[in-house]
Amino acid sequence: MHGKRTETSPLRLLSGGLFVLFCFALLSLRSGAVDLAWSEFFALIAGRDVGDPLLQTVLFDLRLPRVLFAIIVGGALALSGAVMQALFRNPLAEPTLIGISSGASLGAVTALLFGFGSLLFMSLAGFTGAVIATFAVYLVGRRVPGLAGLLLAGIAINAFALSLVSLLITFVADAQFRSFAFWSLGSLTHASWSSLAWLMPWSVLLSLWLCARWRILNALLLGEREAQHLGFALDRVRRELIIAICLLVGPLVAVTGGIAFIGLVMPHVLRLWLGADHRLLLPMSWIGGATALLLADGLARLMVMPAELPVGVITSLVGGPFFLWLLLSQTARTR
């Protein structure tokens, strides 16, 4: 898990990452089915009238909340993946693979089918589903020696939960079926100012809290016994971190559906580049995940204009082959 340590200062890396994220955000705000000239774009940002009220609606009511939502979701998924990979000491761990995302999706769909479609109930149902799925993974996985048991149990619970999601979606009205099916593949179409007002402060606070846990994650790199000798209560720390990840990912997935592989790919790539010091790796994973999801969402909106693809399809097209390569490389190392 240890990569080559970079000689660039952490402040420069973080500043450079934020600058790249800002540039992608600007490009994403400008691009889409309704194209904006740069002059129109900057005029709207400055609050000037460009003569077409539609452009203002597209920029501020549709694209801006979607871009901000992509940033917090991508950042949350990648940060959660970095924490889980250190917690389980396995580079294959991420919220989707161990059932957190699929459990949250199942909770959200169940709430919708029973008529609890408000953002509050969806978020609570997403968190509840994530906790139940994680608890099921833990109960099953601990029966298999080693950390691989948790991963295998997560894959099984993930497949089961996604099957239930697909089954429940078939019971919705025909008018809603396409929207549900689109959401189940991972989509940012439901991003809005109301969802941001509820979820952005929550997401930012939990992300900062997870980044502040870098010391225990660094200690775990030395081994569980060494971490205990350093004074960390590992059972309590594990519970706190897993609950925090469920609280972070569950409500977001309730809005977006399952977006796979962001939490797997970005932390692993950044670990190879930056090394395993979580003091830098955690915030850079957040920035990298936010940037990656912005790029994926931009491709999803531009590839089949004026329609769009589910963003989860784009992330899976990239992340699937990466996961296979990572799995094969891990198998080769253990031989």
Side-chain angles (χ1 to χ4, degrees):
M1 290 179 64
H2 294 270
K4 185 177 180 181
R5 197 176 289 275
T6 181
E7 296 180 358
T8 308
S9 70
L11 183 59
R12 287 186 178 181
L13 283 169
L14 291 171
S15 300
L18 288 172
F19 177 74
V20 171
L21 175 60
F22 178 74
C23 291
F24 272 101
L26 288 181
L27 288 173
S28 187
L29 284 172
R30 178 182 173 269
S31 304
V34 178
D35 198 23
L36 293 173
W38 283 111
S39 58
E40 294 174 325
F41 174 74
F42 287 116
L44 288 169
I45 292 295
R48 297 199 299 269
D49 184 17
V50 295
D52 188 351
L54 174 63
L55 298 182
Q56 185 172 357
T57 300
V58 167
L59 180 60
F60 292 111
D61 295 337
L62 298 179
R63 290 186 188 169
L64 184 55
R66 182 167 179 149
V67 165
L68 292 176
F69 208 76
I71 289 172
I72 65 170
V73 171
L77 291 174
L79 176 61
S80 299
V83 172
M84 294 182 68
Q85 287 167 17
L87 195 59
F88 293 114
R89 299 178 66 193
N90 192 317
L92 302 178
E94 64 130 353
T96 301
L97 289 178
I98 72 160
I100 291 179
S101 296
S102 57
S105 297
L106 179 58
V109 169
T110 303
L112 281 171
L113 284 178
F114 282 95
F116 299 100
S118 69
L119 184 60
L120 175 60
F121 279 110
M122 291 273 290
S123 299
L124 291 174
F127 166 68
T128 303
V131 169
I132 293 173
T134 304
F135 186 65
V137 168
Y138 174 74
L139 287 179
V140 176
R142 70 177 182 175
R143 298 178 179 272
V144 180
L147 293 170
L150 290 173
L151 182 63
L152 293 173
I155 293 174
I157 297 297
N158 182 60
F160 179 70
L162 290 178
S163 298
L164 287 178
V165 169
S166 299
L167 177 64
L168 292 176
I169 286 177
T170 61
F171 291 102
V172 303
D174 291 341
Q176 293 180 301
F177 181 82
R178 187 179 184 280
S179 177
F180 268 81
F182 199 86
W183 169 88
S184 68
L185 295 172
S187 171
L188 296 171
T189 55
H190 294 97
S192 64
W193 286 116
S194 60
S195 59
L196 277 171
W198 169 251
L199 293 174
M200 179 175 266
W202 182 258
S203 175
V204 171
L205 288 174
L206 281 171
S207 296
L208 291 173
W209 187 88
L210 286 172
C211 286
R213 306 277 83 79
W214 62 271
R215 289 183 179 86
I216 177 59
L217 298 178
N218 278 354
L220 281 170
L221 295 176
L222 304 174
E224 293 190 3
R225 182 175 300 176
E226 288 77 6
Q228 288 177 333
H229 288 164
L230 291 172
F232 294 105
L234 292 187
D235 289 339
R236 178 177 59 81
V237 166
R238 282 197 183 95
R239 286 195 300 269
E240 289 177 351
L241 290 175
I242 290 176
I243 290 173
I245 290 172
C246 291
L247 283 169
L248 177 60
V249 174
L252 294 174
V253 169
V255 178
T256 65
I259 299 176
F261 294 112
I262 292 289
L264 173 70
V265 174
M266 291 311 303
H268 190 76
V269 169
L270 289 169
R271 189 180 293 107
L272 293 175
W273 176 37
L274 302 174
D277 183 359
H278 289 87
R279 187 175 187 178
L280 177 61
L281 180 62
L282 294 180
M284 284 299 293
S285 293
W286 192 95
I287 294 170
T291 305
L293 191 55
L294 268 182
L295 177 59
D297 185 52
L299 291 174
R301 290 189 289 117
L302 295 174
M303 287 179 66
V304 291
M305 287 195 305
E308 67 176 77
L309 292 170
V311 68
V313 172
I314 304 297
T315 60
S316 296
L317 284 173
V318 176
F322 183 88
F323 174 72
L324 291 176
W325 169 81
L326 187 58
L327 184 62
L328 292 173
S329 65
Q330 287 294 112
T331 303
R333 289 175 191 171
T334 57
R335 288 179 178 175

